[in-house]
Amino acid sequence: MADQAIQEQLMGARGDIGGQLQMMWELIKAPLIVPMVRIGVYVCLAMSLMLFIERLYMGIVIVLVKLFWKKPDKRYKWEAVADDIEAGSSNFPFVLVQIPMYNEKEVYKISIGAACNLSWPADRLMIQVLDDSTDPAIKDMVELECQRWASKGINIRYQIRENRVGYKAGALKEGLKRSYVKDCEYVAIFDADFRPEPDFLRRAIPFLMHNSDIALIQARWRFVNADECLMTRMQEMSLDYHFTVEQEVGSATHAFFGFNGTAGVWRIAAINEAGGWKDRTTVEDMDLAVRASLRGWKFLYLGDLQVKSELPSTFKAFRFQQHRWSCGPANLFRKMVMEIIKNKRVRFWKKVYVIYSFFLVRKIVAHMVTFFFYCVVLPLTIIFPEVEVPLWGSVYIPSIITILNSVGTPRSIHLLFYWILFENVMSLHRTKATLIGLLEAGRVNEWVVTEKLGDALKNTANAKDKLPGTAPKVAVRKTRSKLIERMNFLELGFGVFLFICGCRDFMNGKFSYYIYLFLQSLSFFIVGFGYVGTILP
């Protein structure tokens, strides 16, 4: 009897605690939580409208560009550099090619070979391999490859530093200080996985030679491993929009866009006038581009000039890359916004374009609205049915934005639905990185070099042609074979949250958002368990 009385007292106490918690929840729900969620809806709707107007504007401009704008060689003066037997190579300017590297075991031969095969007079071309590798064996291999090409009469220099201060920016800056660079007028930059075609310089350099106000020629990236898995197809869709629309619109309307860090040719005088390479953010390429633009220099994007490259094929590598690409621009915006506002050398509307369109909408709002609206606020309206989201904000505008985003990769239109879900998952990391950049917190200067695998997959498939002792791609891809090592707990947590919201909506049957919520939670679970890089397209 005594035990029963004690149990009844405990149950009563628990009931009292539960009742008190329920009462506290009801007390703060109506006056505090619901208004906060409602404010979140209003803010997200405002950001959605900003993104919608931006996408619509760029969609209209790109149609006008394709229909009515003249081709780059018609808008600007362009004449091929003539091969003159009598004059020899004197018609050709001195060009420097820089290839920054860091432990690039899989791709160093590809990039060096592509640079050495560029169609340009050997006595007017200097190739500079900037090797920041920390692995002595890889450094030896890269140096031997440079010596091999040098023995064939190629002007190639192998450069190393005592430290990695400034990372890529530091290496490029150090390379321009070499005495043998003083005669070079232009510098072409290729990351270690980029493979320019032999005629790259002959197509790009004439724009710089005959147009003294152009500082940068940017080529388009093409991806050799886009069909490797579903994750690489999703990356291709996002980057194709960037090149097909964003770069093209910026080039055609304001002669400005962010340098992509590779597959471009700079006028060295413009680099020097802009203050040279700086390592204050992880987007040294964008930093230089903005500073050069503020000094009146123009940029030209050539969509027909394409360079093969490689996409990250592991989620870990892709996530680190996206952190750098999201954190860096936000941090650069924080550092440069007042400098842009105060600048007197560029037109008012160009400053509006750079601050509002280039930075605020594309680099900040686009990430935040995707995550907060579709992965946080919208699911919360299931828990708080008092908060309503208009249909135009939850369905119509997102659908139009998605369709506009898909124009860059028509061949992947059937993957559009998967792309939406994947982009929503990645918006979690992009938003986190953007906030770190804006607040200049924690990992703001984190730089992890993107892992490159080169032709490892091809070599695995063609084992007969594989040299003994080389590691197949499968071995590289299995570095996180244990389940606990490949799990991403942040994604798993959001997957559980969305699944719970989906179940609640399914049971209540009010909004019918549960279809989206279940599919989105499944996407978070797939990424959370580390399987996104293994799903075939």
Side-chain angles (χ1 to χ4, degrees), residues 165-293:
V165 173
Y167 302 108
K168 181 180 174 180
L172 296 171
K173 183 177 182 179
E174 188 70 22
L176 290 177
K177 293 180 180 179
R178 302 294 175 174
S179 58
Y180 56 81
V181 175
K182 67 180 185 300
D183 294 326
C184 295
E185 298 177 57
Y186 312 110
V187 54
I189 302 170
F190 300 103
D191 282 353
D193 58 314
F194 278 72
R195 316 168 189 185
E197 296 296 326
D199 64 347
F200 180 90
L201 294 178
R202 288 182 178 267
R203 295 177 62 185
I205 295 295
F207 283 104
L208 295 167
M209 290 176 60
H210 302 299
N211 302 274
S212 59
D213 56 345
I214 294 180
L216 167 66
I217 302 297
Q218 174 69 62
R220 178 173 178 169
W221 300 359
R222 282 296 184 189
F223 312 106
V224 296
N225 64 331
D227 293 327
E228 182 177 340
C229 63
L230 188 59
M231 187 182 72
T232 54
R233 288 292 289 273
M234 302 298 100
Q235 293 177 65
E236 181 192 40
M237 293 177 71
S238 299
L239 288 170
D240 277 353
Y241 177 82
H242 168 69
F243 285 106
T244 305
V245 179
E246 291 179 346
Q247 298 279 81
E248 190 78 69
V249 168
S251 177
T253 56
H254 297 282
F256 168 78
F257 47 81
F259 175 46
N260 296 314
T262 179
V265 187
W266 274 92
R267 188 186 301 273
I268 294 179
I271 295 178
N272 295 333
E273 185 183 334
W277 293 102
K278 294 185 178 181
D279 59 357
R280 56 181 175 172
T281 70
T282 56
V283 284
E284 73 295 324
D285 42 14
M286 186 182 295
D287 188 348
L288 177 61
V290 174
R291 285 186 282 114
S293 178

Side-chain angles (χ1 to χ4, degrees), residues 77-129:
K77 185 178 179 181
W78 188 93
E79 294 179 5
V81 185
D83 292 297
D84 193 321
I85 298 178
E86 295 182 0
S89 61
S90 61
N91 292 339
F92 292 78
F94 285 94
V95 178
L96 174 69
V97 175
Q98 290 185 316
I99 310 174
M101 290 191 173
Y102 177 75
N103 294 335
E104 308 290 1
K105 179 180 179 181
E106 301 292 347
V107 296
Y108 74 94
K109 284 188 177 181
I110 297 172
S111 58
I112 293 175
C116 291
N117 282 313
L118 288 168
S119 176
W120 203 257
D123 61 335
R124 297 278 170 161
L125 182 67
M126 174 58 67
I127 298 170
Q128 194 179 62
V129 177

